Structure formats: structure tokens, C-alpha cells
Amino acid sequence: MTLTRKVQENRISYTVNNSRKFIPQYQLNINAINRCIDFAYAMSFGAQGEHRANRSGGRKVRSNGEIFCDAFNGKLGEFAIHQYLANQNIYLHEPDLEVYGRGRWDDTDFLYNGYHLSVKTTKHIGNLLLLERDDWDQNGHYIPNYESPSGGRYDAIILVRVDSDIVKLFKNNKKYYNNVITRNELDAMLNNFSCSFDIPGYADLASLQQIITNNQIIEQGSYLGQYTRMDATNYYIQSGNLTPISHLIHQLGETVTGTSKTNK
């Protein structure tokens, strides 16, 4: 299902019409949160690694505050999936916390018995799985990972919603657009930080290929809702069109018994 598209006075806007309500069923453990803080600080203010200052096809150059929030929320989502699947007796390697420099990043968020799994994280009010168009080819492969063992192919892209309010917290403390924050300042801001999450579903490779073939996009410069202007063109899938995570649990469970994919 496509978003509702409206054109008025040279302004293009999109509205979600097939959403899933956020249900904060799960709480991320504090050890995972602290490790996400360490990682995001190193990749931003700590200058030990480097995230792209702008998105693929995007124009906006991000501050270290923005990079921290993006890296933090993204890693929270990975730990959320790791924790959730462990509770389903599916045990993955821990999320990659290596601090990479420019031009290097982790290949696949998780690999389980031949299944390449990617995790995309959004805030709790989000209802879209967004994928920057310039990062994906017509076969649904992730272009930056062509030379990796996965070849850029993901069997499932899982959407996680986190109720972290990290962006609001940074903005309230006037740190969101900062490039310098001491670790003591950061720790004071994040004292007693907690995070709940839910998993509205996932998209398999066939679903991804379909939206690419259909050119299902939100254009750069258009608006999502009333206020959010898109910095880059993105493919999208609405949360209500995602496959429930229970289906993926079943598939991954089958790999253990050998009735589905075999190990690579």
C-alpha cells in the first residue's frame, strides 16, 4: 500500500495510511544501553570513528550531536533485536561495536544460519521503514556492501521502534547541533536513561525488490506529514505492510532443524 500523496502549491506531502500502533512490550536492559552510549560517543564527539556527515543523496551536513543520536538509536535497535530473539531461543552474535573510520562499516547486522538480517530503527511514533534510494540497486542489494561476504543481500530488514527520546533530550539541553560535548556532560544528561521498544515487522528481499520495481519513494524535498522535510529520496514500506516478526521467528527456527536454509 502506498502513502497518501498530496500536491498543493508546489509542495508535495505524504501521509501514512496503514500504521501499526506502538506497543512498548519490551524494555532494553541497562547494560545494552550503556554500551550503545559508549559506541555512539566514540563515533561522534569522541572522534574515534566516523559516521557519514550526510545521508546518501542528502544535502544536510549533520553535527556531532545529530550523529550521536542517529548512531545511538541505531545501535539500540540492534541490541533490541538481539535481546528479543534470545528470548525466542534464537541466539545471535552480539551487535558490532567496532569503531570504524571513513569508508568502513559493518557488513550485516546479524548472520544466523545463512540468513543475513539487517535492523532499521525509528522512533516510537514512526510507521515507515525508510531506505535511502541511492544505497540500493534494482535487485534489492545494498550497494556499499557489494564487496562484502553478503554481497549486499539481506534476507530480512527488521524495523524496530525505540521510545528513547534522545533527540528531544539533546534539543532540550541545547546540545543537538553541538560538535563538542564532554563525556561528563553526556553522562549527566543520560543519567537514569531507559528505553522501551516494539517490533512492527520486517520486509524480506522479495518485498524490497517489489517496492524498488514500483519506484515506491518519498522524494527529496517533499514532506512526510506536515513538518518533516525529506533530506534524501527514500524507498519506503509502511509498518502496516510489514510481515509480522513471528513469521521470521518461524523461518529462523526451521534453519535449526535443517528444513530451510543451510549454513553458509
Side-chain angles (χ1 to χ4, degrees), residues 100-149:
Y100 295 100
R102 180 177 290 274
R104 291 192 62 227
W105 46 82
D106 52 329
D107 167 26
T108 299
D109 293 329
F110 298 110
L111 176 62
Y112 183 82
N113 284 0
Y115 274 77
H116 293 275
L117 309 177
S118 177
V119 178
K120 294 295 181 182
T121 309
T122 189
K123 51 193 173 183
H124 70 283
I125 60 172
N127 273 291
L128 293 177
L129 170 60
L130 293 172
L131 302 168
E132 292 156 20
R133 184 183 62 180
D134 289 354
D135 281 339
W136 301 86
D137 68 16
Q138 291 301 305
N139 295 314
H141 292 176
Y142 186 60
I143 295 170
N145 283 349
Y146 273 169
E147 302 302 320
S148 68

Side-chain angles (χ1 to χ4, degrees), residues 5 11 21 35 37 53 76 78 111 123 126 147 158 200-202 205 209 218 221 238 240 264:
R5 188 175 189 267
R11 173 188 166 114
K21 182 180 178 180
R35 296 174 75 185
I37 293 171
L76 287 176
E78 292 180 30
L111 176 62
K123 51 193 173 183
E147 302 302 320
I158 308 167
Y202 73 99
L205 180 59
Q209 290 171 336
I218 307 176
Q238 298 191 72
K264 291 187 178 179

Side-chain angles (χ1 to χ4, degrees), residues 34-83:
N34 288 334
R35 296 174 75 185
C36 292
I37 293 171
D38 291 341
F39 171 80
Y41 187 81
M43 293 299 293
S44 55
F45 304 109
Q48 296 176 40
E50 190 167 358
H51 267 246
R52 291 181 295 182
N54 60 321
R55 297 176 174 86
S56 296
R59 298 168 180 166
K60 181 180 179 182
V61 176
R62 294 181 294 168
S63 67
N64 276 335
E66 292 171 285
I67 290 172
F68 176 91
C69 291
D70 289 344
F72 181 61
N73 279 339
K75 201 58 68 173
L76 287 176
E78 292 180 30
F79 272 97
I81 288 298
H82 183 270
Q83 178 179 308

Side-chain angles (χ1 to χ4, degrees), residues 5 27 44 66 74 78 95 144 180 198 224 235 244:
R5 188 175 189 267
Q27 195 77 19
S44 55
E66 292 171 285
E78 292 180 30
V180 179
D198 81 348
L224 179 57
Y235 294 114

Side-chain angles (χ1 to χ4, degrees), residues 163-181:
D163 188 12
S164 75
D165 281 339
I166 188 66
V167 172
K168 181 179 179 180
L169 181 62
F170 264 64
K171 286 183 175 180
N172 287 346
N173 284 274
K174 296 181 171 53
K175 302 294 186 183
Y176 189 58
Y177 299 107
N178 281 24
N179 282 316
V180 179
I181 295 177

